[in-house]
Amino acid sequence: MERVNGTPVPAYAPAPAPTPTPTPTLRLLPWPSPEGKPCYLVTDHNGGHLSRLADELEATQLANGTDVLDLARAVLDDPASPYTEVRYAGIRLAECLTDALRVAESRGLRLPPPAAEDAVDVLEEEQPEACRGQATQDTGGGLWS
């Protein structure tokens, strides 16, 4: 036991560091509100009931998109397909694309931010050798030009 000014002082033992609690975050859910607005869930990443339900629905939406794409290809590959069938296939494809984009956005928001060094390395790896270090310009031509 230590002594300070002749008085015994118990040895100081620092308190154990508190365990960090997960910071609650917002998760974009794979369904819209009744008004068509995005729905969010406050989650702590522990995989609660609603998180599991959202994961299952995301998997179902992506599987449905694959099925619709296969069926739509059959309609679109047939030049004799009636207009109504082509239109119906297009509407279903648009719905599936909307779902897939929402799933991608939700999953992207849940990714941890990359370290600064990793982000630079990834960007350099994605560029062709001839383009590294050069600026690029969007000509604005788009998909249909």
Side-chain angles (χ1 to χ4, degrees):
M1 189 172 280
E2 282 187 40
R3 294 187 178 268
V4 176
N5 295 332
T7 308
V9 177
Y12 172 73
T19 56
T21 57
T23 304
T25 59
L26 291 178
R27 175 187 177 164
L28 178 63
L29 294 173
W31 56 81
S33 72
E35 298 83 28
K37 296 180 180 178
C39 286
Y40 291 91
L41 171 67
V42 178
T43 179
D44 60 1
H45 304 290
N46 286 338
H49 177 70
L50 277 177
S51 288
R52 288 190 305 275
L53 180 66
D55 290 339
E56 291 171 10
L57 184 58
E58 285 178 353
T60 301
Q61 288 174 328
L62 294 176
N64 286 343
T66 301
D67 294 343
V68 169
L69 180 59
D70 291 341
L71 296 170
R73 280 193 175 128
V75 170
L76 297 173
D77 286 343
D78 182 4
S81 292
Y83 166 79
T84 53
E85 287 184 23
V86 173
R87 185 171 188 281
Y88 182 80
I91 291 169
R92 298 293 79 82
L93 287 169
E95 290 171 352
C96 291
L97 179 59
T98 300
D99 291 343
L101 290 173
R102 186 180 296 117
V103 169
E105 180 181 1
S106 174
R107 291 180 179 181
L109 291 172
R110 288 181 274 152
L111 290 175
E117 296 169 0
D118 294 341
V120 172
D121 292 342
V122 168
L123 289 175
E124 288 178 357
E125 289 173 8
E126 290 176 355
Q127 291 181 350
E129 189 68 37
C131 296
R132 290 193 184 157
Q134 297 178 3
T136 58
Q137 180 179 359
D138 182 9
T139 59
L143 182 62
W144 307 111
S145 62

